Amino acid sequence: MNINRSKELYREAEDHIVGGVNSPSRAYKGVGGGTPIFMDKAEGAYFFDVDGNKYIDYLAAYGPIITGHAHPHIAEAISKAAYNGVLYGTPTKLENKFAKMIKEAIPSIEKVRFVNSGTEAVMTTIRVARAYTNRTKIIKFAGCYHGHSDLVLVAAGSGPATLGTPDSAGIPTSIAQEVITVPFNDIATYKDALEKYGDDIAGVLVEPIVGNFGIVEPKPGFLQEVNDLAHEAGALVIYDEVITAFRFHYGSAQDIVGVEPDMTAMGKIIGGGLPIGAYGGRVDIMEQIAPLGPAYQAGTMAGNPASISAGIACLEVLQQEGVYEKMDQLGAMLEEGILHHAETYKLPVKINRLKGALTVYFTDVEVENYDQAEATDGEMFAKFFHLMLKEGINLAPSKFEAWFLTTEHTEADIKETLRAVESSFKALASE
Ligand code: PMP
């Protein structure tokens, strides 16, 4: 495969853009480096790069592109918004329509606020929880990613219930000390943390179905206990549904796990591919926010007509009958095929799948928490990633990410992908 033009553009990018990319994982550091492919055009389930190569895409831009690239209904909505003026700084009726759609789909949300990214949404839920409880500390779960605000870039690694250390330079230790990290699916350690710090905990932040160390579901009863114990301690529960809202069905992960949080943060899919975030929850909590309450949050771009129009259009596509069932079926076909090829070539592979999202781990051990995900074979994943890319399959460049199906993938795409998987596994097995 010729990627000369990507190589040239990457060299140029490195001269002008820090690291050559505008978000670090795009530089393939998680898969041993290499030349990031520069895409030129995307349509449906496919990417076309600057050298003219075609790829089947499972990155889906890290989740938002659930209706495939350049979906005509969304493209039309964005185009209409562009000709109507993309940014007003005043309220619009589009925002009312979208707020109602979100509330109808996620009943725990009584009031909502739109922002510009998942990072902003989560960051603000923490501020609101602190304002509401008059406390400062939060509990989070190891390996869950909640954006790049100071407070949540802490102790992404796992361990016992200890105070956090910053994961990034530039974050004061004093801020990290406000975060207690505990392993996902481990109720005993969570209980210990609440016993030790309960009176200081403003909120417990969790991905109800994890997307950031692969797709990892909570053990039965785990999230109910998380809720009950948090509430007993006087803390709020915040679900980070930036990945999961509208991913598995028309609604939130709350419906799947059967537990309702006090607040929910969203992003990704609800913007139809344009920048967006949103947070919402119980009305008495949301009324902490300006202009009604003492907690401040604002945004020049927040609720802009382009993002809101794209979000409405995306949800309209997802309301169509059968779209989630189709992603589930294709996901099952992928899972079965990959496991079959793994068995043939005697490779240690485990798959965590929920509907149209799956993670392929190179390991013999079931993955239920971050430590187990971390222990999977990253070198083998890196080789697999590069082999698949050469076969025309674009995966997320990290062993911790999911493969995302879209409404536009077809059975033929899955067959072609499985052919590439077989050829990649054969190469891995022969090493
Ligand atoms: N929360 C979760 C669960 C996420 O996966 C992400 C992004 N991957 C974020 C928050 C941050 O969202 P954004 O990149 O839009 O700021």
Side-chain angles (χ1 to χ4, degrees):
M1 177 182 281
N2 167 16
I3 58 161
N4 290 339
R5 186 71 187 123
S6 276
K7 284 184 181 161
E8 274 168 31
L9 286 168
Y10 188 42
R11 273 196 295 271
E12 185 185 30
E14 284 182 302
D15 284 342
H16 304 293
I17 299 170
V18 63
V21 289
N22 285 306
S23 196
S25 59
R26 294 179 201 169
Y28 290 177
K29 292 289 180 266
V31 285
T35 301
I37 302 299
F38 279 59
M39 296 304 173
D40 197 33
K41 189 175 158 58
E43 201 176 1
Y46 310 122
F47 267 142
F48 301 88
D49 76 8
V50 287
D51 290 285
N53 303 302
K54 181 181 175 185
Y55 305 81
I56 302 174
D57 179 35
Y58 293 96
L59 177 65
Y62 293 88
I65 304 299
I66 191 169
T67 62
H69 297 281
H71 191 286
H73 186 59
I74 300 178
E76 201 178 307
I78 295 173
S79 166
K80 201 170 148 204
Y83 284 105
N84 244 359
V86 284
L87 189 63
Y88 301 164
T90 73
T92 62
K93 61 179 189 236
L94 286 168
E95 290 157 277
N96 293 7
K97 178 176 176 179
F98 198 34
K100 281 192 233 164
M101 287 175 88
I102 298 280
K103 280 180 50 175
E104 273 167 23
I106 308 179
S108 70
I109 297 180
E110 293 174 351
K111 285 277 170 73
V112 68
R113 181 57 78 69
F114 294 111
V115 290
N116 303 302
S117 66
T119 295
E120 268 184 71
V122 174
M123 183 178 82
T124 314
T125 58
I126 295 169
R127 179 172 304 151
V128 174
R130 285 169 151 178
Y132 186 83
T133 59
N134 215 7
R135 297 169 170 191
T136 61
K137 288 195 186 337
I138 64 160
I139 293 181
K140 73 180 278 291
F141 292 87
C144 288
Y145 177 73
H146 301 291
H148 65 274
S149 72
D150 280 0
L151 200 62
V152 291
L153 263 193
V154 166
S158 120
T162 49
L163 293 177
T165 48
D167 270 350
S168 160
I171 298 177
T173 311
S174 59
I175 287 185
Q177 299 273 301
E178 299 293 341
V179 185
I180 295 120
T181 302
V182 299
F184 191 72
N185 272 332
D186 174 355
I187 206 70
T189 313
Y190 172 73
K191 247 186 203 161
D192 288 349
L194 277 176
E195 266 162 32
K196 207 160 162 197
Y197 301 106
D199 292 346
D200 298 326
I201 306 293
V204 176
L205 179 62
V206 62
E207 290 181 80
I209 293 166
V210 178
N212 276 299
F213 44 91
I215 299 295
V216 176
E217 293 182 66
K219 286 185 187 161
F222 175 68
L223 289 174
Q224 189 62 54
E225 281 209 75
V226 166
N227 243 41
D228 293 347
L229 295 170
H231 290 156
E232 246 170 60
L236 299 182
V237 174
I238 305 164
Y239 278 6
D240 181 344
E241 297 230 28
V242 169
I243 289 183
T244 52
F246 300 96
R247 162 53 56 195
F248 307 111
H249 71 130
Y250 191 85
S252 65
Q254 293 157 40
D255 308 327
I256 300 171
V257 301
V259 183
E260 280 194 353
D262 301 295
M263 266 190 289
T264 302
M266 291 156 284
K268 299 203 190 240
I269 287 174
I270 63 160
L274 290 198
I276 205 161
Y279 64 97
R282 253 173 39 214
V283 72
D284 58 318
I285 299 169
M286 291 299 285
E287 284 180 352
Q288 295 298 310
I289 302 155
L292 297 183
Y296 192 70
Q297 176 268 310
T300 302
M301 306 290 173
N304 74 79
S307 295
I308 299 289
S309 299
I312 291 170
C314 180
L315 295 199
E316 283 168 352
V317 175
L318 294 177
Q319 282 169 343
Q320 288 168 9
E321 203 152 311
V323 289
Y324 285 101
E325 286 75 8
K326 182 182 158 204
M327 287 187 273
D328 184 20
Q329 278 161 15
L330 295 183
M333 202 176 145
L334 254 184
E335 177 180 2
E336 205 179 301
I338 295 169
L339 289 174
H340 170 76
H341 293 317
E343 204 179 300
T344 306
Y345 292 99
K346 304 207 170 6
L347 293 174
V349 168
K350 293 274 182 212
I351 294 180
N352 281 7
R353 178 178 75 86
L354 184 59
K355 312 270 184 173
L358 62 146
T359 310
V360 177
Y361 299 102
F362 290 99
T363 179
D364 284 321
V365 181
E366 297 294 339
V367 175
E368 294 179 341
N369 61 37
Y370 177 76
D371 279 351
Q372 289 157 342
E374 165 63 22
T376 64
D377 191 335
E379 266 176 46
M380 193 177 284
F381 178 83
K383 285 180 195 154
F384 176 65
F385 167 85
H386 288 291
L387 286 164
M388 290 291 278
L389 196 61
K390 284 200 187 88
E391 295 277 352
I393 310 293
N394 188 67
L395 304 176
S398 159
K399 69 174 186 176
F400 294 108
E401 296 284 345
W403 305 33
F404 291 119
L405 273 304
T406 72
T407 60
E408 299 308 291
H409 284 89
T410 62
E411 258 189 58
D413 294 329
I414 304 301
K415 283 186 186 145
E416 170 59 18
T417 304
L418 289 173
R419 188 204 54 73
V421 168
E422 174 166 26
S423 142
S424 301
F425 279 3
K426 193 173 175 183
L428 287 175
S430 71
E431 277 190 8

